[in-house]
Amino acid sequence: MTDSTTAEALRPGGHRRHPCRQLGLTEAALREATRRAAGCRPKEFILRARLTRAKELLAATDLPVAAVPARTG
């Protein structure tokens, strides 16, 4: 998994296309790779990444709270 494919999967709207297809993996292979790398399921990994990005945006920008979900998915 590269940074660019991860970024694509995490971008707003990126969840509409199944991450397995983006990465060229089966669902089982994606679950196993995510479990080994992050200790959780893919859906939880994506949620954590989006929440982390939302926290970063709130802390480092003047964006209104209402604008953050549009930027993080």
Side-chain angles (χ1 to χ4, degrees), residues 57-65:
L57 288 172
L58 289 169
T61 70
D62 291 330
L63 284 172
V65 172

Side-chain angles (χ1 to χ4, degrees), residues 12-48:
H15 63 281
R16 291 187 188 121
R17 185 172 174 216
H18 201 284
C20 293
R21 287 186 219 128
Q22 289 175 277
L23 301 171
L25 299 172
T26 65
E27 286 186 45
L30 178 62
R31 276 193 308 271
E32 180 60 22
T34 306
R35 185 194 61 74
R36 277 183 299 180
C40 61
R41 293 181 175 187
K43 186 174 182 177
E44 185 178 348
F45 175 78
I46 291 169
L47 178 60
R48 286 179 187 175

Side-chain angles (χ1 to χ4, degrees), residues 52-73:
T52 298
R53 181 67 180 136
K55 289 177 188 177
E56 290 169 354
L57 288 172
L58 289 169
T61 70
D62 291 330
L63 284 172
V65 172
V68 173
R71 301 246 181 141
T72 60

